[in-house]
Amino acid sequence: MSWSPRSWRERPIAQAPTYPDPTALAVVEEELRSLPPLIFAGEARALRAELARAARGEAFLLFGGDCAETFAEFHANAVRDTLKVLLQMAAVLSFAAGAPVVKVARMAGQFAKPRSSLSETSAGLTLPSYFGDIVNGADFTVADRTPDPARMLRAYYQAAVTHNLLRALTQGGFADLARVRQWNQAFIAASPQGARYAELAQRIEESLSFMAACGVDPAYTPQLRSTAIYTAHDALLLPYEEAQTRQDSLSHEWYGCSAHLLWIGERTRQGDHAHVEYARGIANPIGLKCGPSLTETQLLHLLDVLNPSNEPGRVTLITRMGAARLADNLPKLIRAAKRERRAVVWCCDPMHANTATLADGRKSREFARIMEEIRTFFAVLGAEHTWPGGLHLEMTGKDVTECLGGSQPITLRDLPQCYQTRCDPRLNGTQALELAFLVAELLGGLREGRKLTRTPP
Protein backbone atom coordinates (compact mmCIF):
# COMPACT_ATOMS: atom_id res chain seq x y z
CA MET A 1 0.00 0.00 0.00
CA SER A 2 1.34 3.42 -0.93
CA TRP A 3 2.42 5.67 1.91
CA SER A 4 3.70 9.22 2.23
CA PRO A 5 4.26 11.45 5.25
CA ARG A 6 0.91 13.09 4.50
CA SER A 7 -1.18 10.04 3.60
CA TRP A 8 -2.66 10.13 7.10
CA ARG A 9 -4.67 13.16 5.96
CA GLU A 10 -6.84 10.82 3.87
CA ARG A 11 -7.94 8.84 6.93
CA PRO A 12 -10.39 9.53 9.78
CA ILE A 13 -8.65 11.10 12.75
CA ALA A 14 -9.35 11.17 16.48
CA GLN A 15 -8.08 13.63 19.08
CA ALA A 16 -7.30 16.33 16.51
CA PRO A 17 -7.53 20.00 17.51
CA THR A 18 -9.28 22.38 15.12
CA TYR A 19 -7.13 25.35 14.11
CA PRO A 20 -9.23 28.42 13.26
CA ASP A 21 -6.72 29.75 10.71
CA PRO A 22 -5.65 27.05 8.19
CA THR A 23 -3.32 29.51 6.45
CA ALA A 24 -1.38 30.21 9.64
CA LEU A 25 -1.16 26.46 10.27
CA ALA A 26 0.27 25.87 6.78
CA VAL A 27 2.90 28.58 7.30
CA VAL A 28 4.07 26.97 10.54
CA GLU A 29 4.16 23.51 8.97
CA GLU A 30 6.32 24.81 6.14
CA GLU A 31 8.73 26.44 8.59
CA LEU A 32 9.00 23.20 10.59
CA ARG A 33 9.85 21.31 7.40
CA SER A 34 12.78 23.65 6.82
CA LEU A 35 14.25 23.20 10.30
CA PRO A 36 16.87 20.55 11.16
CA PRO A 37 15.69 17.15 12.44
CA LEU A 38 15.69 16.73 16.22
CA ILE A 39 17.02 13.16 16.02
CA PHE A 40 18.92 11.22 13.40
CA ALA A 41 18.01 7.99 11.64
CA GLY A 42 21.07 6.17 12.99
CA GLU A 43 19.98 6.89 16.56
CA ALA A 44 16.51 5.47 15.91
CA ARG A 45 18.10 2.37 14.36
CA ALA A 46 20.31 1.97 17.43
CA LEU A 47 17.22 2.06 19.66
CA ARG A 48 15.51 -0.56 17.49
CA ALA A 49 18.53 -2.81 17.96
CA GLU A 50 18.40 -2.37 21.74
CA LEU A 51 14.66 -3.01 21.81
CA ALA A 52 15.23 -6.15 19.76
CA ARG A 53 17.32 -7.40 22.68
CA ALA A 54 14.45 -6.61 25.04
CA ALA A 55 12.08 -8.55 22.75
CA ARG A 56 14.44 -11.53 23.06
CA GLY A 57 14.62 -11.26 26.84
CA GLU A 58 18.18 -9.93 26.86
CA ALA A 59 17.49 -6.38 28.08
CA PHE A 60 14.94 -4.36 30.06
CA LEU A 61 13.25 -1.15 28.93
CA LEU A 62 12.91 1.76 31.36
CA PHE A 63 10.56 4.44 30.05
CA GLY A 64 10.09 7.52 32.23
CA GLY A 65 9.44 11.23 32.36
CA ASP A 66 6.83 13.91 32.59
CA CYS A 67 3.14 13.41 32.00
CA ALA A 68 3.19 16.55 29.85
CA GLU A 69 6.03 18.99 29.29
CA THR A 70 5.17 22.66 29.60
CA PHE A 71 6.72 25.88 28.42
CA ALA A 72 6.53 27.61 31.80
CA GLU A 73 8.32 24.91 33.81
CA PHE A 74 11.16 24.29 31.38
CA HIS A 75 14.69 24.75 32.73
CA ALA A 76 17.92 22.80 32.71
CA ASN A 77 17.65 21.70 36.34
CA ALA A 78 14.34 19.94 35.70
CA VAL A 79 15.87 17.95 32.83
CA ARG A 80 18.98 17.15 34.84
CA ASP A 81 17.07 16.05 37.95
CA THR A 82 14.74 13.72 36.06
CA LEU A 83 17.74 12.27 34.23
CA LYS A 84 19.41 11.67 37.61
CA VAL A 85 16.46 9.57 38.78
CA LEU A 86 16.36 7.63 35.50
CA LEU A 87 20.06 6.84 35.86
CA GLN A 88 19.56 5.77 39.47
CA MET A 89 16.65 3.51 38.53
CA ALA A 90 18.62 2.03 35.62
CA ALA A 91 21.56 1.24 37.90
CA VAL A 92 19.28 -0.52 40.38
CA LEU A 93 17.46 -2.51 37.69
CA SER A 94 20.59 -3.45 35.74
CA PHE A 95 22.33 -4.65 38.89
CA ALA A 96 19.35 -6.86 39.74
CA ALA A 97 18.56 -8.17 36.28
CA GLY A 98 22.14 -8.70 35.19
CA ALA A 99 21.07 -7.28 31.85
CA PRO A 100 21.33 -3.93 30.06
CA VAL A 101 18.64 -1.34 30.73
CA VAL A 102 17.41 0.60 27.70
CA LYS A 103 16.69 4.14 28.87
CA VAL A 104 13.93 6.11 27.11
CA ALA A 105 12.86 9.52 28.40
CA ARG A 106 9.41 11.04 28.00
CA MET A 107 11.11 14.32 27.20
CA ALA A 108 11.86 16.69 24.32
CA GLY A 109 8.44 16.35 22.73
CA GLN A 110 5.81 15.13 25.21
CA PHE A 111 3.75 18.30 24.84
CA ALA A 112 0.43 16.98 23.46
CA LYS A 113 -2.16 15.17 25.57
CA PRO A 114 -5.26 13.25 24.48
CA ARG A 115 -8.46 14.19 26.24
CA SER A 116 -11.65 12.33 27.10
CA SER A 117 -13.65 15.19 25.55
CA LEU A 118 -12.73 17.66 22.82
CA SER A 119 -14.36 20.49 24.78
CA GLU A 120 -15.33 21.44 28.30
CA THR A 121 -17.96 23.74 29.76
CA SER A 122 -17.75 26.02 32.77
CA ALA A 123 -20.28 28.65 33.89
CA GLY A 124 -22.13 28.27 30.62
CA LEU A 125 -19.01 28.80 28.48
CA THR A 126 -17.81 25.95 26.23
CA LEU A 127 -14.19 26.00 25.09
CA PRO A 128 -11.76 23.50 23.54
CA SER A 129 -10.12 21.17 26.04
CA TYR A 130 -6.49 21.73 26.96
CA PHE A 131 -4.50 19.48 24.59
CA GLY A 132 -1.07 20.40 25.94
CA ASP A 133 1.16 23.44 25.47
CA ILE A 134 1.96 22.51 21.87
CA VAL A 135 -1.71 23.14 21.00
CA ASN A 136 -3.23 25.64 23.44
CA GLY A 137 -3.03 27.05 26.96
CA ALA A 138 -4.39 25.61 30.20
CA ASP A 139 -6.24 28.72 31.45
CA PHE A 140 -9.98 28.61 30.80
CA THR A 141 -10.15 31.65 28.55
CA VAL A 142 -10.99 32.04 24.88
CA ALA A 143 -7.51 33.37 24.12
CA ASP A 144 -5.71 30.53 25.90
CA ARG A 145 -7.87 27.64 24.71
CA THR A 146 -7.88 28.63 21.02
CA PRO A 147 -5.42 26.29 19.22
CA ASP A 148 -2.42 28.29 18.02
CA PRO A 149 -0.05 26.73 15.44
CA ALA A 150 2.82 29.00 16.52
CA ARG A 151 3.04 26.88 19.66
CA MET A 152 4.47 24.07 17.54
CA LEU A 153 7.53 26.21 16.81
CA ARG A 154 8.06 26.94 20.49
CA ALA A 155 7.73 23.21 21.24
CA TYR A 156 10.28 22.42 18.54
CA TYR A 157 12.89 24.82 19.94
CA GLN A 158 12.35 23.64 23.51
CA ALA A 159 12.68 20.03 22.33
CA ALA A 160 15.90 20.92 20.49
CA VAL A 161 17.41 22.41 23.64
CA THR A 162 16.31 19.39 25.68
CA HIS A 163 17.85 16.95 23.21
CA ASN A 164 21.12 18.88 23.25
CA LEU A 165 21.16 18.93 27.04
CA LEU A 166 20.46 15.19 27.31
CA ARG A 167 23.23 14.41 24.83
CA ALA A 168 25.68 16.68 26.66
CA LEU A 169 24.89 15.17 30.06
CA THR A 170 24.97 11.51 28.99
CA GLN A 171 28.02 11.77 26.75
CA GLY A 172 29.99 14.45 28.62
CA GLY A 173 30.72 12.66 31.89
CA PHE A 174 27.52 13.19 33.90
CA ALA A 175 26.50 9.54 33.36
CA ASP A 176 29.94 8.19 34.34
CA LEU A 177 29.41 5.27 36.75
CA ALA A 178 32.26 6.66 38.83
CA ARG A 179 29.85 9.50 39.71
CA VAL A 180 27.06 7.16 40.74
CA ARG A 181 26.80 8.77 44.20
CA GLN A 182 26.33 12.21 42.71
CA TRP A 183 23.04 11.16 41.11
CA ASN A 184 21.49 10.95 44.58
CA GLN A 185 19.58 14.17 45.21
CA ALA A 186 19.27 15.58 48.71
CA PHE A 187 15.56 14.83 49.23
CA ILE A 188 16.08 11.27 48.02
CA ALA A 189 19.24 10.72 50.06
CA ALA A 190 17.26 11.49 53.24
CA SER A 191 14.84 8.62 52.52
CA PRO A 192 15.15 4.86 53.11
CA GLN A 193 15.61 4.48 49.34
CA GLY A 194 18.51 6.91 49.49
CA ALA A 195 20.24 4.72 52.06
CA ARG A 196 19.68 1.60 49.95
CA TYR A 197 20.95 3.42 46.90
CA ALA A 198 24.08 4.54 48.78
CA GLU A 199 24.82 0.87 49.54
CA LEU A 200 24.37 -0.02 45.88
CA ALA A 201 26.61 2.88 44.83
CA GLN A 202 29.32 1.62 47.16
CA ARG A 203 29.12 -1.85 45.60
CA ILE A 204 29.39 -0.34 42.12
CA GLU A 205 32.41 1.72 43.18
CA GLU A 206 34.05 -1.39 44.64
CA SER A 207 33.45 -3.21 41.35
CA LEU A 208 35.04 -0.34 39.43
CA SER A 209 38.06 -0.42 41.76
CA PHE A 210 38.40 -4.17 41.25
CA MET A 211 38.26 -3.72 37.47
CA ALA A 212 40.97 -1.05 37.66
CA ALA A 213 43.12 -3.36 39.79
CA CYS A 214 42.75 -6.02 37.08
CA GLY A 215 43.98 -3.60 34.46
CA VAL A 216 40.60 -2.50 33.08
CA ASP A 217 40.66 1.26 33.56
CA PRO A 218 37.08 2.60 33.73
CA ALA A 219 38.39 5.96 32.51
CA TYR A 220 39.08 4.38 29.11
CA THR A 221 35.92 2.24 28.92
CA PRO A 222 33.21 4.19 27.06
CA GLN A 223 30.42 1.91 28.32
CA LEU A 224 31.20 3.01 31.88
CA ARG A 225 31.72 6.70 31.19
CA SER A 226 28.66 7.45 29.08
CA THR A 227 25.25 6.05 28.23
CA ALA A 228 22.58 6.28 25.56
CA ILE A 229 19.36 8.07 26.46
CA TYR A 230 16.60 8.03 23.89
CA THR A 231 13.47 10.18 23.70
CA ALA A 232 9.84 9.36 23.04
CA HIS A 233 6.41 10.92 23.01
CA ASP A 234 2.83 10.36 21.94
CA ALA A 235 2.59 11.08 18.18
CA LEU A 236 -0.73 12.82 18.78
CA LEU A 237 -0.31 16.04 16.82
CA LEU A 238 0.19 14.76 13.28
CA PRO A 239 0.80 18.11 11.54
CA TYR A 240 3.85 18.51 13.79
CA GLU A 241 5.00 14.91 13.22
CA GLU A 242 4.57 15.12 9.45
CA ALA A 243 6.61 18.33 9.27
CA GLN A 244 9.44 16.58 11.13
CA THR A 245 9.44 13.48 8.91
CA ARG A 246 12.61 13.00 6.86
CA GLN A 247 13.92 10.45 4.36
CA ASP A 248 17.24 8.94 5.39
CA SER A 249 19.92 9.41 2.74
CA LEU A 250 21.53 6.03 3.52
CA SER A 251 18.61 3.64 3.84
CA HIS A 252 16.03 5.76 1.98
CA GLU A 253 13.56 4.93 4.76
CA TRP A 254 11.34 7.58 6.27
CA TYR A 255 11.85 8.54 9.92
CA GLY A 256 9.83 10.63 12.32
CA CYS A 257 12.61 12.92 13.45
CA SER A 258 10.86 14.53 16.41
CA ALA A 259 11.85 11.61 18.72
CA HIS A 260 13.57 8.24 18.63
CA LEU A 261 10.38 6.35 19.51
CA LEU A 262 6.81 7.46 18.86
CA TRP A 263 3.82 5.80 20.41
CA ILE A 264 0.16 5.48 19.47
CA GLY A 265 -2.22 6.15 22.33
CA GLU A 266 -5.21 4.20 23.60
CA ARG A 267 -7.60 6.71 22.01
CA THR A 268 -5.87 6.82 18.60
CA ARG A 269 -5.01 3.18 17.82
CA GLN A 270 -7.88 2.52 15.39
CA GLY A 271 -6.36 0.39 12.64
CA ASP A 272 -7.83 2.34 9.73
CA HIS A 273 -7.32 5.84 11.22
CA ALA A 274 -4.76 8.55 10.73
CA HIS A 275 -2.33 7.82 13.59
CA VAL A 276 -1.78 4.18 12.64
CA GLU A 277 -1.47 5.23 8.99
CA TYR A 278 1.29 7.70 9.85
CA ALA A 279 3.15 5.28 12.13
CA ARG A 280 3.18 2.39 9.68
CA GLY A 281 5.33 4.30 7.20
CA ILE A 282 8.13 5.49 9.47
CA ALA A 283 11.05 3.25 10.44
CA ASN A 284 11.27 4.38 14.08
CA PRO A 285 10.46 2.00 16.90
CA ILE A 286 6.73 2.30 17.58
CA GLY A 287 4.95 2.01 20.90
CA LEU A 288 1.33 0.87 21.08
CA LYS A 289 -0.76 1.51 24.17
CA CYS A 290 -2.90 -1.55 24.99
CA GLY A 291 -5.93 -0.93 27.16
CA PRO A 292 -8.51 -3.43 28.42
CA SER A 293 -10.73 -3.05 25.34
CA LEU A 294 -8.05 -4.30 22.94
CA THR A 295 -8.95 -7.72 21.47
CA GLU A 296 -6.66 -10.40 20.08
CA THR A 297 -7.97 -9.76 16.57
CA GLN A 298 -7.33 -6.03 16.85
CA LEU A 299 -3.84 -6.59 18.23
CA LEU A 300 -2.83 -8.96 15.46
CA HIS A 301 -4.26 -6.61 12.81
CA LEU A 302 -2.29 -3.68 14.25
CA LEU A 303 0.89 -5.77 14.29
CA ASP A 304 0.25 -6.72 10.66
CA VAL A 305 -0.05 -3.04 9.75
CA LEU A 306 2.78 -1.68 11.89
CA ASN A 307 5.26 -4.54 11.59
CA PRO A 308 4.48 -6.69 8.56
CA SER A 309 8.05 -8.07 8.48
CA ASN A 310 7.83 -9.03 12.18
CA GLU A 311 11.15 -7.36 12.99
CA PRO A 312 12.21 -7.50 16.66
CA GLY A 313 12.49 -4.04 18.18
CA ARG A 314 9.95 -2.44 15.87
CA VAL A 315 6.87 -2.63 18.18
CA THR A 316 6.66 -2.21 21.95
CA LEU A 317 3.29 -3.12 23.46
CA ILE A 318 2.59 -0.88 26.45
CA THR A 319 -0.13 -2.39 28.62
CA ARG A 320 -2.31 0.01 30.65
CA MET A 321 -5.23 -1.91 32.13
CA GLY A 322 -5.21 -1.82 35.92
CA ALA A 323 -4.28 -4.84 38.01
CA ALA A 324 -7.73 -6.50 37.99
CA ARG A 325 -8.30 -6.14 34.27
CA LEU A 326 -4.69 -6.95 33.44
CA ALA A 327 -5.00 -10.41 34.97
CA ASP A 328 -8.09 -11.12 32.85
CA ASN A 329 -7.14 -9.48 29.55
CA LEU A 330 -3.38 -9.70 29.15
CA PRO A 331 -2.98 -13.51 28.96
CA LYS A 332 -5.11 -13.81 25.82
CA LEU A 333 -3.10 -11.07 24.10
CA ILE A 334 0.18 -12.75 25.00
CA ARG A 335 -1.08 -16.11 23.76
CA ALA A 336 -2.26 -14.60 20.48
CA ALA A 337 1.11 -12.93 19.91
CA LYS A 338 3.01 -16.10 20.82
CA ARG A 339 0.79 -18.26 18.63
CA GLU A 340 1.62 -16.05 15.65
CA ARG A 341 5.27 -15.79 16.79
CA ARG A 342 5.15 -11.99 16.91
CA ALA A 343 8.38 -10.36 18.08
CA VAL A 344 7.30 -7.64 20.52
CA VAL A 345 8.45 -6.01 23.74
CA TRP A 346 5.90 -6.34 26.55
CA CYS A 347 6.05 -3.18 28.65
CA CYS A 348 3.89 -2.28 31.66
CA ASP A 349 2.36 1.18 32.15
CA PRO A 350 0.98 0.90 35.70
CA MET A 351 0.03 4.57 35.92
CA HIS A 352 -2.84 5.39 33.58
CA ALA A 353 -5.42 2.84 34.69
CA ASN A 354 -4.85 3.73 38.34
CA THR A 355 -5.80 7.41 38.23
CA ALA A 356 -8.60 8.70 40.46
CA THR A 357 -10.17 12.14 40.74
CA LEU A 358 -10.38 13.29 44.34
CA ALA A 359 -13.08 15.34 46.04
CA ASP A 360 -11.17 18.61 45.48
CA GLY A 361 -10.89 17.92 41.74
CA ARG A 362 -7.24 16.89 41.79
CA LYS A 363 -6.14 13.64 40.20
CA SER A 364 -3.93 11.24 42.10
CA ARG A 365 -2.58 7.70 42.00
CA GLU A 366 -1.86 5.30 44.83
CA PHE A 367 1.63 3.84 44.98
CA ALA A 368 0.24 0.54 46.27
CA ARG A 369 -2.04 0.15 43.25
CA ILE A 370 0.81 0.99 40.87
CA MET A 371 2.93 -1.74 42.42
CA GLU A 372 -0.02 -4.15 42.39
CA GLU A 373 -0.31 -3.75 38.63
CA ILE A 374 3.43 -4.27 38.17
CA ARG A 375 3.38 -7.44 40.26
CA THR A 376 0.39 -8.71 38.29
CA PHE A 377 2.21 -7.91 35.04
CA PHE A 378 5.24 -9.94 36.15
CA ALA A 379 3.04 -12.79 37.36
CA VAL A 380 1.05 -12.97 34.12
CA LEU A 381 4.16 -12.81 31.91
CA GLY A 382 5.84 -15.41 34.10
CA ALA A 383 2.86 -17.76 33.84
CA GLU A 384 3.01 -17.39 30.05
CA HIS A 385 6.79 -17.98 29.99
CA THR A 386 7.34 -14.59 28.39
CA TRP A 387 9.88 -11.92 29.27
CA PRO A 388 8.47 -8.83 31.07
CA GLY A 389 10.33 -6.38 28.87
CA GLY A 390 9.94 -3.03 30.55
CA LEU A 391 8.20 -0.28 32.53
CA HIS A 392 6.57 2.95 31.34
CA LEU A 393 6.25 5.53 34.13
CA GLU A 394 5.14 9.11 34.58
CA MET A 395 7.70 10.51 37.01
CA THR A 396 9.81 13.54 37.76
CA GLY A 397 13.04 14.37 39.53
CA LYS A 398 11.25 17.00 41.59
CA ASP A 399 9.98 16.50 45.14
CA VAL A 400 6.32 16.72 44.14
CA THR A 401 3.34 15.47 46.16
CA GLU A 402 1.04 14.08 43.50
CA CYS A 403 0.85 10.29 44.07
CA LEU A 404 -0.32 8.89 47.38
CA GLY A 405 1.67 6.44 49.48
CA GLY A 406 5.17 5.04 49.33
CA SER A 407 7.53 4.26 52.19
CA GLN A 408 7.60 7.97 53.00
CA PRO A 409 3.84 8.17 52.61
CA ILE A 410 2.18 11.11 50.92
CA THR A 411 -1.30 11.49 52.38
CA LEU A 412 -4.34 13.41 51.22
CA ARG A 413 -3.25 16.20 53.56
CA ASP A 414 0.17 16.35 51.85
CA LEU A 415 -1.11 16.65 48.26
CA PRO A 416 -1.45 20.46 48.17
CA GLN A 417 2.15 21.00 49.36
CA CYS A 418 3.73 20.52 45.93
CA TYR A 419 1.06 19.51 43.42
CA GLN A 420 2.35 20.91 40.12
CA THR A 421 1.21 18.66 37.28
CA ARG A 422 -0.87 20.14 34.45
CA CYS A 423 -2.44 16.78 33.62
CA ASP A 424 -1.76 13.48 35.41
CA PRO A 425 0.03 12.89 38.73
CA ARG A 426 3.66 11.78 38.68
CA LEU A 427 5.85 9.74 40.97
CA ASN A 428 8.46 11.88 42.69
CA GLY A 429 12.11 10.86 42.81
CA THR A 430 11.83 8.97 46.10
CA GLN A 431 8.77 7.01 44.97
CA ALA A 432 10.37 6.24 41.59
CA LEU A 433 13.52 4.89 43.23
CA GLU A 434 11.48 2.83 45.69
CA LEU A 435 9.58 1.36 42.77
CA ALA A 436 12.88 0.53 41.05
CA PHE A 437 14.07 -1.45 44.08
CA LEU A 438 10.78 -3.36 44.25
CA VAL A 439 10.93 -4.16 40.53
CA ALA A 440 14.58 -5.14 40.93
CA GLU A 441 13.48 -7.79 43.42
CA LEU A 442 11.04 -9.16 40.84
CA LEU A 443 13.73 -9.19 38.15
CA GLY A 444 16.23 -10.76 40.52
CA GLY A 445 13.74 -13.50 41.34
CA LEU A 446 13.24 -14.24 37.67
CA ARG A 447 16.98 -14.43 37.06
CA GLU A 448 17.60 -16.72 40.01
CA GLY A 449 14.56 -18.91 39.41
CA ARG A 450 15.04 -19.04 35.63
CA LYS A 451 11.28 -19.12 35.27
CA LEU A 452 11.12 -17.53 31.85
CA THR A 453 12.08 -18.74 28.44
CA ARG A 454 13.49 -16.25 25.97
CA THR A 455 11.07 -15.09 23.33
CA PRO A 456 12.32 -16.22 19.88
CA PRO A 457 12.95 -13.53 17.25
Side-chain angles (χ1 to χ4, degrees), residues 108-168:
Q110 183 51 23
F111 293 103
K113 293 294 293 182
R115 311 306 294 178
S116 56
S117 174
L118 298 182
S119 64
E120 60 179 295
T121 301
S122 178
L125 177 63
T126 299
L127 295 174
S129 295
Y130 171 59
F131 277 89
D133 277 12
I134 196 172
V135 175
N136 55 2
D139 292 344
F140 195 76
T141 65
V142 173
D144 233 35
R145 291 298 180 90
T146 300
D148 179 2
R151 287 174 168 268
M152 287 192 279
L153 291 171
R154 185 169 179 182
Y156 168 87
Y157 286 112
Q158 181 170 317
V161 172
T162 304
H163 272 111
N164 288 341
L165 184 56
L166 287 171
R167 289 186 179 104

Side-chain angles (χ1 to χ4, degrees), residues 50-62 93-94 96-102 317 330 334 338 344-348 377-391 439-440 442-448 450-456:
E50 293 199 39
L51 290 174
R53 298 184 67 184
R56 294 191 295 266
E58 300 167 358
F60 190 79
L61 169 62
L62 176 61
L93 294 170
S94 184
V101 173
V102 185
L317 300 178
L330 183 55
I334 297 172
K338 289 183 68 176
V344 297
V345 179
W346 290 100
C347 179
C348 178
F377 176 79
F378 271 77
V380 168
L381 271 291
E384 298 297 331
H385 303 286
T386 301
W387 178 249
L391 284 178
V439 172
L442 296 173
L443 285 171
L446 292 177
R447 186 179 66 173
E448 293 173 10
R450 303 194 179 198
K451 298 178 181 179
L452 298 181
T453 58
R454 299 304 191 218
T455 303

Side-chain angles (χ1 to χ4, degrees), residues 266-281:
E266 173 74 0
R267 295 185 175 98
T268 53
R269 59 169 165 76
Q270 302 90 341
D272 59 348
H273 277 43
H275 291 84
V276 172
E277 169 63 18
Y278 171 75
R280 77 176 179 91

Side-chain angles (χ1 to χ4, degrees), residues 360-412:
D360 64 359
R362 289 186 176 94
K363 293 180 180 180
S364 189
R365 291 159 170 159
E366 293 186 18
F367 186 87
R369 291 184 65 84
I370 292 169
M371 274 308 306
E372 180 186 359
E373 181 157 357
I374 294 173
R375 290 192 180 97
T376 302
F377 176 79
F378 271 77
V380 168
L381 271 291
E384 298 297 331
H385 303 286
T386 301
W387 178 249
L391 284 178
H392 184 124
L393 305 171
E394 290 185 339
M395 46 158 284
T396 176
K398 297 189 291 186
D399 192 13
V400 298
T401 54
E402 297 170 0
C403 291
L404 297 168
S407 61
Q408 286 187 308
I410 294 173
T411 66
L412 287 171

Side-chain angles (χ1 to χ4, degrees), residues 402-438:
E402 297 170 0
C403 291
L404 297 168
S407 61
Q408 286 187 308
I410 294 173
T411 66
L412 287 171
R413 185 177 299 176
D414 299 322
L415 278 184
Q417 292 181 9
C418 192
Y419 190 99
Q420 298 179 349
T421 183
R422 286 281 185 91
C423 291
D424 293 334
R426 303 158 295 177
L427 298 169
N428 63 30
T430 302
Q431 291 169 323
L433 190 58
E434 179 179 358
L435 183 146
F437 277 111
L438 293 171

